[in-house]
Amino acid sequence: MNLANSLARIARQDPRRPAVFAGDRLHLDYGALAGRVARLAAGLRERGLDPGDRVALFMHNHTAYLELLYACWWAGLAVVPMNAKLHLREAQWIADHAGARWAFVTADVGTGLQVPGACIDVDGSDYAALPAPVPLPMASCAPTDLAWLFYTSGTTGKPKGVMLTHRNLLAMAMAYFTDVDAIEPEDAIVYGPPMSHGAGLYALPHMVAGARHVVPASGGFDPEEIFGLARRIGRLTMFAAPTVVKRLVDHAEANGLSGEGFKTIVYGGAPMYVQDLHRALRVMGPRFVQIYGQGESPMVITALSRRHLLDSAHPRHAERVASVGVAQTPVEVRVADADGVSLPAGEVGEVLVRGDTVMAGYWRDPKATEAAIRDGWLFTGDMGSLDEDGFLTLRDRSKDMIISGGSNIYPREVEEVLLTAPGVAEVSVVGAPDPEWGEIVVAFVVPQPGQAPDSAALDAVCLQQIARFKRPKRYVFCDALPKNNYGKVLKTELRERLKNGTA
Ligand code: AMP
């Protein structure tokens, strides 16, 4: 089992099929892509890399990203993709921890990264000279061989290296077809968000289907550029975190655009507030699918399908839209107490997952692996509840839950309410230590441009919709929320600001 096999088989069947686009220009067809990948693989092996070696990718989105993912797999190597926005020191830490022997970088990001072997700029002459004249026969891999060492985004502490095998990623790719969307060869995935994360993982099902891969010329996410590609190339699919979806929808609304040219927008990776989802559906049409996953079971825990999102006649539609959907086909999902005992429908506990997408473990960290996978079940650290129909509603990560005066308060619930208040653009709710209550609820509020919502008005909105004890005891108004490189709000930093009095 080698993930590169999906590329080889399309190239054999239909070598002239368009494969990779640089902006709206065709860069390689499937025949040329497979040929180049096999010759790059030969170049890597001839220069001394052995099966099982790790290769770091520290670059913005680039056509070379796809070539290198598949060339490494073709050669039996494992990739270590790193977010291009990491500080060089953070990237160096990951490269060292992973024991990466080689690295590929773009000059804007990665020059300066130290590895024992070569550090190659993909726009330079060394990369151009790397493909060997004779292609390498594809390495044979065991299903359990490491394919992708995925460093967690590290919103707390040091990132951990999640070991994803060929089997894990093949199961992830197949689940796209069973639980997310069908893919036709004429469809195009656009890599706006970082390919080191979900966007890059979704290259795999699109390679399986022999679809088109579009790398924006900017190498990143720019709503205007993405809408331009939608107009010129069409049938675009994109994976995006909710904050990125919001920027896309803002752009559409401000410019009188619709979802024309887009096929599917898969959102996930962080909570999508119901209000934002309704606006997205209104502005861009029925093009959305939600997934819930985590590095440890990439892209695959649950999915909320297009059909479920649109089934407004269903008596529990409102609850379903606020959920993350049902278990995806390759996994079982249950909700359990701290001892791993399943809880009845409706009760909140930790979300547990078992199946072929669940990681092999953390790289060189057996203790963390033992803590995360118990009796074959991955403990996700997310809190949630299942309903009778199998729909999972996430609350918060267990560490984000606030315990105030002995009552559990889920920040997400308070955030959803505050977002309905006039003049509020973004909200994040955290707990602050308090001598009387243990913790109190604090809301960080980003006002909409030109608006100044006040605490009394926000209190009034809360009192109309949620229990009095859940209402924030303090509001902190700020211009922006701190976010990590994938657009997730850094609650740890907000809590830190409260602790050291800089909020
Ligand atoms: P990461 O491993 O960096 O992809 O982060 C995974 C975490 O993001 C999960 O454990 C959840 O806490 C959160 N997450 C992922 N998908 C969703 C979703 N659809 N809704 C809410 N939170 C999500």
Side-chain angles (χ1 to χ4, degrees):
M1 181 190 285
N2 187 323
L3 287 167
N5 197 36
S6 57
L7 164 61
R9 67 186 256 288
I10 302 287
R12 270 200 303 275
Q13 287 163 42
D14 201 354
R16 299 283 75 83
R17 196 186 283 182
V20 183
F21 288 73
D24 42 21
R25 185 178 56 79
L26 178 63
H27 174 57
L28 293 171
D29 62 25
Y30 269 89
L33 176 62
R36 191 165 162 71
V37 159
R39 289 187 304 110
L40 274 167
L44 289 165
R45 292 283 292 274
E46 283 170 17
R47 303 272 301 274
L49 287 168
D50 296 320
D53 281 347
R54 275 84 54 215
V55 173
L57 306 178
F58 188 34
M59 49 206 258
H60 62 239
N61 291 355
H62 196 289
T63 52
Y65 224 111
L66 288 166
E67 298 171 4
L68 285 166
L69 289 176
Y70 282 86
C72 287
W73 294 331
W74 194 293
L77 312 170
V79 289
V80 189
M82 298 189 276
N83 191 301
K85 290 192 190 134
L86 289 181
H87 190 283
L88 182 60
R89 279 183 42 211
E90 298 168 303
Q92 188 64 57
W93 187 92
I94 292 177
D96 292 345
H97 189 260
R101 282 189 60 196
W102 273 40
F104 288 90
V105 300
T106 46
D108 57 331
V109 175
T111 45
L113 194 68
Q114 306 286 322
V115 284
C119 178
I120 293 185
D121 175 354
V122 293
D123 291 306
S125 52
D126 285 349
Y127 188 66
L130 186 59
V134 181
L136 183 81
M138 194 186 300
S140 133
C141 291
T144 49
D145 282 352
L146 180 66
W148 183 314
L149 197 49
F150 183 103
Y151 276 80
T152 55
S153 44
T155 45
T156 52
K158 286 275 181 231
K160 291 197 276 287
V162 174
M163 294 191 284
L164 301 174
T165 65
H166 285 260
R167 177 190 279 142
N168 288 152
L169 294 183
L170 192 60
M172 181 277 303
M174 304 312 279
Y176 191 93
F177 299 95
T178 51
D179 296 80
V180 179
D181 206 9
I183 310 177
E184 300 297 329
E186 295 73 25
D187 294 337
I189 175 160
V190 61
Y191 301 105
M195 292 175 80
S196 53
H197 208 71
L201 286 164
Y202 273 173
L204 277 71
H206 287 82
M207 204 63 87
V208 169
R212 299 179 293 172
H213 303 258
V214 180
V215 183
S218 69
F221 174 76
D222 168 29
E224 194 170 337
E225 184 180 27
I226 301 284
F227 271 96
L229 290 169
R231 234 182 350 265
R232 293 190 299 277
I233 292 187
R235 300 181 69 148
L236 291 192
T237 288
M238 188 169 82
F239 170 73
T243 46
V244 173
V245 173
K246 199 160 182 244
R247 284 178 59 200
L248 204 63
V249 174
D250 285 346
H251 181 85
E253 208 168 37
N255 294 280
L257 300 169
S258 68
E260 206 178 320
F262 289 90
K263 181 186 180 212
T264 303
I265 295 167
V266 185
Y267 65 93
M272 172 77 122
Y273 298 106
V274 172
Q275 175 156 301
D276 290 339
L277 175 64
H278 284 304
R279 188 169 75 108
L281 286 165
R282 181 165 42 75
V283 174
M284 295 193 63
R287 293 180 163 84
F288 293 87
V289 180
Q290 179 180 204
I291 62 102
Y292 156 53
Q294 60 175 202
E296 291 81 349
S297 182
M299 315 306 266
V300 182
I301 299 178
T302 62
L304 185 64
S305 70
R306 203 186 297 255
R307 197 170 58 82
H308 285 132
L309 277 166
L310 299 180
D311 184 15
S312 54
H314 194 280
R316 285 183 297 288
H317 184 244
E319 291 92 314
R320 287 183 171 189
V321 164
S323 79
V324 291
V326 297
Q328 293 192 40
T329 307
V331 292
E332 295 166 82
V333 174
R334 63 191 180 94
V335 165
D337 65 15
D339 300 320
V341 177
S342 290
L343 293 171
E347 278 191 35
V348 177
E350 185 166 353
V351 179
L352 273 48
V353 191
R354 178 165 77 174
D356 273 355
T357 51
V358 172
M359 65 166 178
Y362 293 114
W363 178 250
R364 295 186 174 157
D365 197 343
K367 251 172 85 186
T369 304
E370 255 171 54
I373 304 178
R374 291 178 246 156
D375 296 329
W377 289 89
L378 170 70
F379 283 62
T380 62
D382 290 319
M383 305 294 285
S385 59
L386 282 163
D387 72 8
E388 299 280 358
D389 306 338
F391 286 74
L392 178 70
T393 298
L394 286 185
R395 298 301 185 123
D396 286 278
R397 292 195 63 76
S398 43
K399 64 180 184 320
D400 289 333
M401 192 178 75
I402 302 168
I403 305 179
S404 186
S407 302
N408 294 353
I409 298 169
Y410 296 102
R412 167 108 188 249
E413 190 186 354
V414 186
E415 289 161 0
E416 294 268 12
V417 169
L418 287 171
L419 279 170
T420 66
V424 173
E426 284 188 279
V427 173
S428 186
V429 167
V430 295
D434 180 80
E436 188 183 350
W437 297 95
E439 279 185 298
I440 55 162
V441 179
V442 179
F444 286 78
V445 178
V446 180
Q448 280 170 4
Q451 306 270 324
D454 64 21
S455 312
L458 297 178
D459 260 356
V461 170
C462 288
L463 287 172
Q464 276 163 15
Q465 301 185 52
I466 46 173
R468 184 168 275 272
F469 72 91
K470 297 179 185 171
R471 184 178 49 133
K473 291 235 179 345
R474 187 178 160 202
Y475 295 93
V476 180
F477 295 94
C478 48
D479 295 336
L481 297 172
K483 291 183 184 149
N484 76 4
N485 299 321
Y486 297 111
K488 294 191 199 206
V489 176
L490 290 168
K491 294 207 169 191
T492 328
E493 188 173 322
L494 294 177
R495 282 191 285 261
E496 207 50 46
R497 285 186 198 174
L498 290 170
K499 232 190 274 164
N500 62 27
T502 57

